[in-house]
Amino acid sequence: MKIIKSQTIYEKVQEKLEEINTNLNSNTQKLFENYTGPFANEIRENIKIAKEKKLPLCQDTGIVEFFVFKPYDLSLEEALHKTLYRAVRDTYEKNGYRKSTVLDPLYSRTNKMDNLPAIIHEFEIETSNGLEIWIIAKGGGSENLSALYMMPPSATEDDVINIVVQHILKNGPNACPPINVGIGIGGTADLAILISRLALFTDEYFPKLPYLESYDDLAQKLHSLINELHIGVQALGFGPTCQSVKVYVYPTHIATLPIAISVDCYLSRTGRVVING
C-alpha cells in the first residue's frame, strides 16, 4: 500500500495555488504578447507586475475547486479534505488574497474570511503514476455563466451549437474574455456539469475516467463560431473572443440529453499537482 504524507500534499497545493493566481499560463501569455487592441499595454503591465511581485492577476481570486484522481491502492495520512482546506486557508491568508466565500448563500451572506470550504470532487482510478489533484480558482464573473440545458434526445448537432453560441452571445461579455469554454454532454444533469468543468483545463492532459470521451470536431466548430461573435478582449470588440473550447461526453439515458456549459475567464487559473507515492 502506497502512503502519501499530508504535508507533501499541503506544500505542493499551496505552491500551485500561488502560481495560478500570479502567473499567466504560457498560451494566454503568448496571446497577449501579440494583442494590439485597447488596453494592450495595461494588460501586459498587469501580467508583468503580478509575476514579478507575486501579486494576484485579478482581485477576484476565486473559490477553489479540486478534482482529485486517487489510485485505489494509495493511502493518505489524513482525510484529504482536511489537507486541502488547510492549504487553501493558509495560502489565501499568507498572500492576502481576497476571501470570497459566504456561509449563508441566500440570507445573511456572511463572509467566512478564509475562502472555505473549497469544492472537492474525488475519483478513484485503477492505475496512475500517483495522486493527481487538478485545481481551478474560479472567479464569480465567469461562474455566473454556468448553465444546464436538458434537451430532447432528438436534438441535433446544430441544436447544440445554437444553444452554446446563443448563450455566449448573450452572456460572454460578463466573463472577462477571451474566455475558455467547457461543454459537458450526456450522463445525468449533475455529471454533465461536472465534466464541463473538467473541460476547462486547457493543459494537455485528459481526465482518467471510464467512458469519458471528447468531441474534437464539435469543439473546433464552436471555437470558430464563438470567435465570429467578435465580442473581443474584455468585450471591447478587438482580438479573440474565445481561447479554447473542449467538449467532453458521457453515456446517457435513452430519454435524456443534458448539455452543460462552464466558462472560465481569460486568466484560466488552472493547474495540476502530481504526487507519487
Side-chain angles (χ1 to χ4, degrees), residues 2-69:
K2 301 175 183 177
I3 299 176
I4 292 181
K5 294 183 179 297
S6 59
Q7 185 64 21
T8 302
I9 299 171
Y10 171 83
E11 290 174 358
K12 288 186 175 294
V13 168
Q14 264 205 326
E15 180 181 352
K16 187 59 67 173
L17 281 170
E18 291 175 358
E19 177 187 321
I20 65 176
N21 270 298
T22 59
N23 287 267
L24 206 58
N25 68 72
S26 58
N27 290 335
T28 310
Q29 179 87 41
K30 185 175 181 180
L31 185 156
F32 281 104
E33 286 174 359
N34 300 315
Y35 172 64
T36 58
F39 303 107
N41 292 333
E42 288 83 355
I43 293 172
R44 283 192 283 269
E45 184 68 10
N46 181 67
I47 294 168
K48 179 182 177 183
I49 292 172
K51 183 175 183 178
E52 291 178 351
K53 297 190 176 182
K54 297 190 181 301
L55 294 172
L57 287 154
C58 177
Q59 54 86 23
D60 183 354
T61 46
I63 189 168
V64 181
E65 191 166 4
F66 295 100
F67 301 85
V68 180
F69 302 90

Side-chain angles (χ1 to χ4, degrees), residues 66-82:
F66 295 100
F67 301 85
V68 180
F69 302 90
K70 179 179 175 291
Y72 73 94
D73 59 348
L74 184 144
S75 181
L76 307 176
E77 285 187 327
E78 69 174 1
L80 186 60
H81 78 273
K82 290 185 178 181

Side-chain angles (χ1 to χ4, degrees), residues 17 20 24-25 40-41 73 85 101 104 113 117 165 169 172 204 219-220 241 249 256-257 273:
L17 281 170
I20 65 176
L24 206 58
N25 68 72
N41 292 333
D73 59 348
Y85 281 10
T101 57
D104 180 348
M113 299 307 294
V165 173
L169 176 63
E204 294 304 315
Q220 290 176 10
T241 297
V249 301
T256 68
L257 183 59
V273 169

